[in-house]
Amino acid sequence: MGWDFASDNVRGACPEVARALAELAGGAAPYGADELTARLETRLAELFEHPVAALPVATGTAANALAVAAFTPPHGSVYCHHEAHILRDEAGACEFFAGGARLIGLPGENAKLTPETLDTHLDRCAAGNVHRVRPRLVSITQSTELGTLYTPGEVAAIGAWCQANGLALHMDGARFANAVAALGVSPAELTWKAGVDVLSLGGTKNGAWAAEALVLFDPERAEATAIRRKRGGHLLSKGRFLAAQLLALFEDGTWLANGRHANTQATRLAEGLLTLPGVRPITPTQANEVFLHLPEPLRQGLNEAGFGFTPWGDAGPDAIRLVTA
Amino acid sequence: MGWDFASDNVRGACPEVARALAELAGGAAPYGADELTARLETRLAELFEHPVAALPVATGTAANALAVAAFTPPHGSVYCHHEAHILRDEAGACEFFAGGARLIGLPGENAKLTPETLDTHLDRCAAGNVHRVRPRLVSITQSTELGTLYTPGEVAAIGAWCQANGLALHMDGARFANAVAALGVSPAELTWKAGVDVLSLGGTKNGAWAAEALVLFDPERAEATAIRRKRGGHLLSKGRFLAAQLLALFEDGTWLANGRHANTQATRLAEGLLTLPGVRPITPTQANEVFLHLPEPLRQGLNEAGFGFTPWGDAGPDAIRLVTA
Amino acid sequence: MGWDFASDNVRGACPEVARALAELAGGAAPYGADELTARLETRLAELFEHPVAALPVATGTAANALAVAAFTPPHGSVYCHHEAHILRDEAGACEFFAGGARLIGLPGENAKLTPETLDTHLDRCAAGNVHRVRPRLVSITQSTELGTLYTPGEVAAIGAWCQANGLALHMDGARFANAVAALGVSPAELTWKAGVDVLSLGGTKNGAWAAEALVLFDPERAEATAIRRKRGGHLLSKGRFLAAQLLALFEDGTWLANGRHANTQATRLAEGLLTLPGVRPITPTQANEVFLHLPEPLRQGLNEAGFGFTPWGDAGPDAIRLVTA
Amino acid sequence: MGWDFASDNVRGACPEVARALAELAGGAAPYGADELTARLETRLAELFEHPVAALPVATGTAANALAVAAFTPPHGSVYCHHEAHILRDEAGACEFFAGGARLIGLPGENAKLTPETLDTHLDRCAAGNVHRVRPRLVSITQSTELGTLYTPGEVAAIGAWCQANGLALHMDGARFANAVAALGVSPAELTWKAGVDVLSLGGTKNGAWAAEALVLFDPERAEATAIRRKRGGHLLSKGRFLAAQLLALFEDGTWLANGRHANTQATRLAEGLLTLPGVRPITPTQANEVFLHLPEPLRQGLNEAGFGFTPWGDAGPDAIRLVTA
């Protein structure tokens, strides 16, 4: 037996989620209009201190693709970091849901975008030009794909840039709980107060079996997205199954406790490994992911000891990722 | 307190499924390559007495849309009954996943297609004709949207017609368990032996939270469908969550017991209600759905007694549907 | 040498069009902003007695698909006659341009829809229902695919029904000139005054090489359609080539003269053939198309005499279509 | 009166094309099966010394989008230069026709790709990985968007790289005639002999009104592309109108003469302007496009003298493009 740090997807469900589902199994509720889903929306509005429409789905890819499609027409484009999950790891789901829109990957240290980068790459010739795809959305990931964080100020700067340039702002929050726990700020400060229009709020990496919420800070957009969700096959007939998992996490502080726990583990793991000879960080460990260069003998040793991790070839042959949950 | 017969989606999870998930919650497994998913495929191959590729997804709409897309190019068309769930109740999911292919609804008693109907409506001018959409798939539902059944011979006749005309055959088996239980035949006889190429095998209406399997009788087609599943946001990171539910149902006889139980309840329900004055059947009750004309006062009385059912306006203002689970 | 009545597409360009192109060949004009295109829009606004946006394209299929897409979202549906060109003869172009929307073919004598037919088939359960595709557009063809005509009153009745039910109205006017010539009414009476929102105005069958105009009676919709036109590859760099052809037809009475001439020929052709023993009409000859049942020996005789026509198998093995230009 | 060098699209039709159309105007031919289209295919097979399928269309965007879609599934990706017309100037047409595939823009001097650049950017993790879009096609432009040329050896090196890595190779030959004229090599050497699978062969910039040919060096692929062409609204009913223009150019040496003439003009123009004080080349003038830095007073002077040119902001505020035809 060893430790598996390959992903925060490897775990099953946390006790709170398992308990909630067990309690719910015997009951009954109508298709698509259950009380738990309504309660989830109310709860998230409270948590975010803002009216929201919350549409639960079973995967992060679904949440992201629906979020992108909600703000990007087929002839639109989306700016994201070239490490973005939506660009690299979702098989073109955003393009599919948005009817052939374009994702544009941009550079940036620590997997983060900045207003300067966006400003450099914005296609200013697109306005009113039928020959160009139209910039419509910026998508950032919090915490990022390389385990780093945007400060509220950094998000707000991007939000301001978006507003100034007529683009909407999406946050892929598959690890939003880790970000909030690490930054010690309110969900509101990291999202709508900083200009975020739509959030993919992660549950699966936080302890759910399969539950994410698409959170729209403009509830008026819910209807179009609800149609797209059904059309995408993402409306569960037993919708309360999703809502129950999310409520188990977000109704009280479980989400934050889970996020904090994972962060602490990651910090310790990073600190421990960095004491070993030849180990160097790739990015600073700010949430629940650790990216390191590890000399070959050490990698082999960890492997033999039953340590699970993911090779991260993009950062070199000796690079690995470890994720805690 | 009353009884809810609005849909077989209203229940939560059956005890076997709930137990399986509870046992699994604490464990861990890698993304997308877990042992349970492999075991499910092996088990379904055994159950169907044929090599299969089995791709679990969380919704019936996803299973149907991926199945249709696997056999229908964007310029292709699909013949189905005009009561078909894929045509009426999935918001165009098949068109979406198949890149704009066309569904064509056909008439037929008891919500069933026949080779004769197909023969009448087949567009024979389409072959080699760039102006026409190309017929590629027939989709039938077993048990049907009106609670009736195709006999193995009826399926086989459609299968033979499809083969003779160069179309593939899809079976929407959201209530496949009910059909097998009612007909007392093997899964093989109802599917590949009768010419079915791809089956949407229902778990959700049979006692799962959210689990269906797309069953391809030609496993070679698995790869393209697996890509489409990911691109559609339907690959769960904790895939064993789906597999575990399906194994809880299909590894032993739970699926069949659940199906049989629901059928028996429906038969009793129908028999009981048909003794009441003025009640007339719309279709024969052959599986777990009952379609009746019910005089207004009776409808009101049942409503007041806490009976849940669905008005079925297509069959007239006094028509209702009751579903057992 | 004989006469070719296979289609009104068989001719090249009429003298007016050929002359206009010859005069224009040596000149120069900027991409996408030429004076002729602007003049065409002005002229059509005058002809239709209404502000219009006019987007020239090279094919009727492009005009129809862009028109349908302008009013139908991916989750929308379009009601048309089951003989409609958009349904039968455009290989799914509307579905393609509208991102997977659905065309629904309806019955109707003489290839015509009526408010009654629409009323019978309208999916009234779709409103606010995420499970259904949403009815958004009715498309009618004038003159129809079977050579018949809608009177202005009939169009207006459909227009009123559309308005009452929240759908837009498209007219496929590939043979609009023939309809106007035959009915002796103004273009306005047949279109916006009768509730038509968008018209595919045919030039190719009227004497152009390849030129149709998408006419939007709400010019505000032009921008979105212009983007879609470019994205569909239908914006010609030498746009004046399309405009010149259409101006040659529509700037003076050429379009109407051409339409009238073709109608007269068709009437004569029908009258002549109907005097032959065993010849029976399929539909009344109201524009420039003649649909007849023709005994086999006669068909052979005409063939041998060099007469070109199209077998029309849908109306029986002895059915043919003849088209005049 | 001045000279217009804004684009090679500004001219109408060259005398040979105008004459061909004038001669053809009075004739007749059946829809989609005319003799000229067949003759064009034969002629291009001869010109390219290889069996080809040649599908005429009216725009370069249509040719490119159909070519890309022929080799790229919805989950596929296309590598091209970040200056590529398909990426920058076609409003996402390739994504539209290829069902949401992804275009990836790469850097490269003089708007040219190299095997090294491709090697650096190829996503090697995509093979067998459902999370990634799959690299399927490389697209290069000849002559390039910056007026430069690939030598046959450079094309062949890319062709070899494509073959080694399992990708197909597309050439956007909107200015193919200019490239052949400038390089003095055979069309075969620049295309299939160098590994090109599909060519967008330009006619419009070479003297046609609106005519390009999609040339497939594997004629087996013609059928799928023919369906897609119709579905995209790009099958002209009077197909001979396109074929006649292309035959007027390609049946004898007109295409080459036109290309050579434009190249010579561009060389002279560049030589002349480069003698002026402060004028610097952006890229070498190798075909019929000239890219220069021009001091502001000179730009103004040329403008006032009636010189037409296009500002080329991407290369700086003082950059301009001049194109000869």
Side-chain angles (χ1 to χ4, degrees):
Chain A
M1 256 303 280
W3 290 93
D4 193 345
F5 298 111
S7 176
D8 31 8
N9 284 329
V10 300
R11 303 279 145 199
C14 71
E16 291 82 356
V17 166
R19 198 154 49 231
L21 289 179
E23 280 167 18
L24 202 63
Y31 190 150
D34 64 283
E35 186 201 319
L36 291 186
T37 301
R39 206 167 99 199
L40 174 67
E41 197 163 87
T42 304
R43 168 57 188 150
L44 290 181
E46 184 188 83
L47 187 65
F48 283 96
E49 307 166 50
H50 197 278
V52 301
L55 292 95
V57 290
T59 70
T61 297
N64 285 336
L66 288 167
V68 165
F71 289 88
T72 317
H75 61 275
S77 64
V78 180
Y79 293 100
C80 59
H81 194 278
H82 62 56
E83 291 280 350
H85 200 267
I86 59 169
L87 185 69
R88 293 173 52 101
D89 295 296
E90 300 185 354
C94 288
E95 287 97 329
F96 177 40
F97 278 79
R102 185 181 295 168
L103 303 194
I104 298 171
L106 303 182
E109 216 181 339
N110 290 332
K112 288 161 64 179
L113 295 180
T114 64
E116 292 69 35
T117 308
L118 289 165
D119 222 57
T120 305
H121 289 86
L122 179 66
D123 183 0
R124 294 185 197 281
C125 300
N129 183 340
V130 296
H131 301 265
R132 298 288 173 100
V133 295
R134 307 276 171 103
R136 285 297 179 86
L137 186 70
V138 169
S139 178
I140 59 176
T141 308
Q142 175 79 314
S143 62
T144 75
E145 285 80 5
L146 292 184
T148 57
L149 291 167
Y150 287 92
T151 65
E154 287 171 337
V155 177
I158 292 174
W161 183 90
C162 285
Q163 186 153 28
N165 288 282
L167 284 78
L169 181 55
H170 166 242
M171 180 176 278
D172 177 353
R175 296 185 179 95
F176 186 74
N178 304 99
V180 173
L183 290 163
V185 296
S186 75
E189 279 173 273
L190 270 190
T191 56
W192 63 271
K193 285 189 179 172
V196 171
D197 295 287
V198 57
L199 169 73
S200 303
L201 177 62
T204 310
K205 293 176 197 293
N206 191 249
W209 270 120
E212 317 275 313
L214 175 61
V215 180
L216 291 156
F217 294 104
D218 174 4
E220 302 261 311
R221 287 180 175 270
E223 199 201 343
T225 299
I227 296 173
R228 224 177 251 120
R229 177 176 56 169
K230 172 63 196 176
R231 188 168 165 82
H234 287 290
L235 179 65
L236 267 60
S237 56
K238 302 178 183 178
R240 64 199 181 286
F241 158 72
L242 296 176
Q245 295 178 79
L246 293 166
L247 281 168
L249 296 173
F250 291 97
E251 198 145 42
D252 57 22
T254 303
W255 66 290
L256 215 46
N258 287 355
R260 195 174 297 125
H261 177 72
N263 291 350
T264 308
Q265 298 280 91
T267 305
R268 281 189 199 154
L269 190 62
E271 287 171 357
L273 290 169
L274 284 168
T275 62
L276 302 178
V279 177
R280 288 172 301 121
I282 295 169
T283 52
T285 297
Q286 298 177 335
N288 70 322
E289 295 183 286
V290 183
F291 290 83
L292 300 171
H293 293 288
L294 210 68
E296 174 56 23
L298 254 175
R299 294 174 64 196
Q300 209 175 316
L302 284 178
N303 250 331
E304 283 164 12
F307 242 63
F309 54 79
T310 306
W312 207 256
D314 292 322
D318 64 344
I320 67 164
R321 182 185 79 161
L322 305 103
V323 193
T324 56
Chain B
M1 253 305 277
W3 290 94
D4 192 346
F5 299 112
S7 176
D8 31 9
N9 285 328
V10 299
R11 303 278 145 198
C14 72
E16 293 82 356
V17 166
R19 198 154 50 231
L21 289 179
E23 281 168 16
L24 203 62
Y31 190 151
D34 66 283
E35 186 201 320
L36 290 187
T37 301
R39 206 167 101 201
L40 173 68
E41 195 163 88
T42 304
R43 168 56 189 151
L44 291 180
E46 186 188 81
L47 187 66
F48 282 97
E49 307 168 49
H50 198 279
V52 300
L55 292 96
V57 290
T59 72
T61 297
N64 285 337
L66 288 168
V68 165
F71 288 88
T72 317
H75 61 276
S77 65
V78 180
Y79 293 100
C80 58
H81 194 279
H82 61 57
E83 291 281 350
H85 200 268
I86 59 169
L87 185 67
R88 293 172 52 100
D89 296 296
E90 301 186 353
C94 288
E95 286 96 330
F96 177 41
F97 278 80
R102 185 181 295 169
L103 302 193
I104 298 170
L106 303 182
E109 217 182 339
N110 290 331
K112 288 161 65 177
L113 295 180
T114 65
E116 292 69 37
T117 308
L118 289 164
D119 223 57
T120 305
H121 289 87
L122 179 66
D123 182 0
R124 295 185 196 281
C125 299
N129 183 341
V130 297
H131 302 264
R132 299 288 174 100
V133 296
R134 307 276 172 104
R136 286 296 178 86
L137 185 70
V138 170
S139 177
I140 58 175
T141 308
Q142 176 78 313
S143 62
T144 75
E145 285 80 5
L146 292 184
T148 56
L149 291 166
Y150 287 93
T151 66
E154 288 171 337
V155 178
I158 292 174
W161 183 90
C162 285
Q163 184 153 30
N165 289 283
L167 284 79
L169 181 54
H170 167 241
M171 179 176 279
D172 176 353
R175 297 186 178 95
F176 187 74
N178 304 96
V180 173
L183 290 162
V185 296
S186 75
E189 278 173 275
L190 269 190
T191 56
W192 63 272
K193 284 189 179 172
V196 172
D197 294 288
V198 58
L199 170 72
S200 304
L201 177 61
T204 310
K205 292 174 197 294
N206 191 249
W209 270 120
E212 316 276 313
L214 174 62
V215 180
L216 291 155
F217 293 104
D218 173 5
E220 303 260 312
R221 286 179 175 270
E223 198 201 344
T225 300
I227 296 173
R228 224 178 252 118
R229 177 177 55 170
K230 172 63 196 175
R231 187 169 167 80
H234 287 291
L235 178 65
L236 265 62
S237 55
K238 303 179 183 177
R240 64 200 181 287
F241 159 73
L242 296 175
Q245 295 177 81
L246 293 165
L247 281 168
L249 296 172
F250 290 98
E251 196 145 42
D252 58 22
T254 303
W255 67 290
L256 215 45
N258 287 355
R260 195 173 297 124
H261 177 72
N263 292 350
T264 308
Q265 299 280 90
T267 305
R268 281 189 199 153
L269 190 62
E271 285 172 358
L273 290 168
L274 284 167
T275 61
L276 302 177
V279 177
R280 289 172 302 120
I282 294 169
T283 52
T285 297
Q286 297 178 336
N288 69 321
E289 295 183 285
V290 183
F291 291 82
L292 300 171
H293 293 288
L294 210 67
E296 175 54 25
L298 254 177
R299 293 175 65 196
Q300 209 176 316
L302 285 178
N303 249 332
E304 282 163 13
F307 243 65
F309 53 80
T310 307
W312 207 255
D314 293 322
D318 64 344
I320 66 163
R321 181 185 78 161
L322 307 103
V323 193
T324 56
Chain C
M1 256 303 279
W3 290 94
D4 193 345
F5 299 112
S7 176
D8 31 10
N9 285 327
V10 301
R11 302 279 145 199
C14 71
E16 292 82 357
V17 166
R19 199 155 48 231
L21 290 178
E23 280 167 18
L24 202 63
Y31 191 150
D34 65 283
E35 185 201 321
L36 291 187
T37 301
R39 205 167 99 200
L40 174 66
E41 197 163 85
T42 304
R43 168 57 188 149
L44 291 181
E46 183 187 83
L47 188 64
F48 282 97
E49 307 166 49
H50 198 278
V52 300
L55 292 94
V57 289
T59 72
T61 297
N64 285 336
L66 288 168
V68 165
F71 289 88
T72 317
H75 61 275
S77 64
V78 180
Y79 293 99
C80 59
H81 194 278
H82 62 57
E83 291 280 351
H85 201 267
I86 59 169
L87 185 68
R88 291 172 54 100
D89 296 296
E90 300 186 353
C94 288
E95 287 97 328
F96 177 41
F97 278 79
R102 186 181 294 168
L103 303 193
I104 298 171
L106 303 182
E109 217 182 340
N110 290 332
K112 288 161 64 178
L113 295 180
T114 64
E116 292 69 37
T117 307
L118 289 164
D119 223 57
T120 304
H121 290 86
L122 179 65
D123 182 0
R124 296 186 195 280
C125 299
N129 183 340
V130 295
H131 301 265
R132 298 288 173 100
V133 295
R134 308 276 172 104
R136 286 296 178 87
L137 186 70
V138 169
S139 177
I140 59 175
T141 308
Q142 175 79 316
S143 61
T144 75
E145 285 81 4
L146 292 184
T148 56
L149 291 166
Y150 287 93
T151 65
E154 287 171 337
V155 178
I158 292 174
W161 183 91
C162 285
Q163 185 152 29
N165 289 282
L167 284 78
L169 181 55
H170 166 241
M171 179 176 279
D172 176 354
R175 296 185 178 94
F176 186 75
N178 303 98
V180 173
L183 290 163
V185 296
S186 75
E189 278 173 274
L190 270 189
T191 56
W192 64 271
K193 284 189 179 173
V196 171
D197 295 288
V198 57
L199 170 72
S200 303
L201 177 62
T204 310
K205 294 175 197 292
N206 191 250
W209 271 119
E212 316 276 313
L214 174 62
V215 180
L216 292 156
F217 294 104
D218 173 4
E220 302 261 311
R221 288 181 173 269
E223 199 200 344
T225 300
I227 295 173
R228 223 178 252 119
R229 177 176 57 170
K230 172 64 196 176
R231 187 169 167 83
H234 286 291
L235 178 65
L236 266 61
S237 55
K238 304 178 183 177
R240 65 200 180 285
F241 158 73
L242 297 176
Q245 295 177 79
L246 293 166
L247 281 168
L249 297 172
F250 290 97
E251 198 146 41
D252 57 22
T254 304
W255 67 289
L256 214 46
N258 287 355
R260 195 174 296 126
H261 177 73
N263 291 350
T264 308
Q265 299 279 92
T267 305
R268 281 188 199 155
L269 190 62
E271 286 171 357
L273 290 168
L274 283 167
T275 62
L276 302 177
V279 176
R280 288 172 303 120
I282 294 169
T283 51
T285 297
Q286 298 178 335
N288 70 322
E289 296 183 285
V290 183
F291 291 82
L292 300 171
H293 293 286
L294 210 69
E296 173 55 24
L298 254 176
R299 293 174 65 196
Q300 209 175 317
L302 284 178
N303 249 331
E304 282 163 13
F307 242 64
F309 53 80
T310 307
W312 207 255
D314 292 323
D318 65 344
I320 67 163
R321 182 185 78 160
L322 305 104
V323 193
T324 56
Chain D
M1 254 302 280
W3 291 93
D4 193 345
F5 299 111
S7 176
D8 30 9
N9 285 328
V10 299
R11 303 279 145 200
C14 71
E16 293 82 356
V17 166
R19 198 155 48 231
L21 289 179
E23 281 169 17
L24 202 61
Y31 191 151
D34 66 283
E35 187 201 320
L36 291 187
T37 301
R39 206 168 99 200
L40 173 67
E41 194 162 89
T42 304
R43 168 57 189 150
L44 291 181
E46 185 188 84
L47 188 65
F48 282 97
E49 308 167 50
H50 197 279
V52 300
L55 292 95
V57 291
T59 71
T61 297
N64 285 336
L66 288 168
V68 165
F71 289 88
T72 317
H75 61 276
S77 64
V78 180
Y79 294 100
C80 59
H81 194 278
H82 62 56
E83 290 280 351
H85 200 267
I86 59 169
L87 185 68
R88 293 172 53 99
D89 296 296
E90 301 185 354
C94 288
E95 287 97 330
F96 176 42
F97 278 79
R102 184 181 295 169
L103 303 192
I104 298 170
L106 302 182
E109 216 181 340
N110 290 330
K112 289 161 64 178
L113 295 181
T114 64
E116 292 68 37
T117 307
L118 289 164
D119 223 58
T120 305
H121 289 86
L122 179 66
D123 182 0
R124 295 184 196 283
C125 299
N129 183 340
V130 296
H131 301 265
R132 298 287 174 100
V133 295
R134 307 276 172 104
R136 286 296 178 86
L137 186 70
V138 169
S139 177
I140 59 176
T141 308
Q142 174 79 314
S143 61
T144 74
E145 285 81 5
L146 292 184
T148 57
L149 292 166
Y150 287 93
T151 65
E154 287 171 337
V155 178
I158 291 173
W161 183 90
C162 285
Q163 184 153 28
N165 289 283
L167 284 79
L169 181 56
H170 167 242
M171 180 176 279
D172 176 353
R175 297 185 177 94
F176 186 75
N178 303 97
V180 172
L183 290 162
V185 296
S186 75
E189 279 174 273
L190 269 189
T191 56
W192 63 271
K193 284 189 178 171
V196 172
D197 295 288
V198 58
L199 170 71
S200 304
L201 177 61
T204 309
K205 292 176 197 293
N206 192 249
W209 270 119
E212 316 275 314
L214 174 62
V215 180
L216 291 156
F217 294 104
D218 173 4
E220 303 260 313
R221 287 180 175 270
E223 199 201 343
T225 300
I227 296 173
R228 224 177 252 120
R229 177 176 55 169
K230 173 62 197 176
R231 187 167 165 82
H234 288 290
L235 179 65
L236 265 62
S237 56
K238 303 179 183 177
R240 64 199 181 286
F241 158 73
L242 296 176
Q245 296 177 79
L246 293 166
L247 281 168
L249 297 173
F250 291 97
E251 197 145 42
D252 58 22
T254 304
W255 66 289
L256 215 45
N258 287 355
R260 195 174 297 125
H261 177 72
N263 292 350
T264 308
Q265 298 281 91
T267 305
R268 282 189 197 154
L269 190 62
E271 287 172 357
L273 289 169
L274 283 168
T275 61
L276 301 177
V279 177
R280 288 171 305 120
I282 294 169
T283 52
T285 296
Q286 298 178 336
N288 69 321
E289 295 183 285
V290 183
F291 291 82
L292 299 170
H293 292 288
L294 211 68
E296 174 55 24
L298 255 176
R299 295 174 65 196
Q300 209 175 316
L302 285 178
N303 250 331
E304 282 163 13
F307 243 63
F309 53 79
T310 308
W312 208 254
D314 293 323
D318 65 344
I320 66 163
R321 182 184 79 160
L322 305 104
V323 193
T324 57

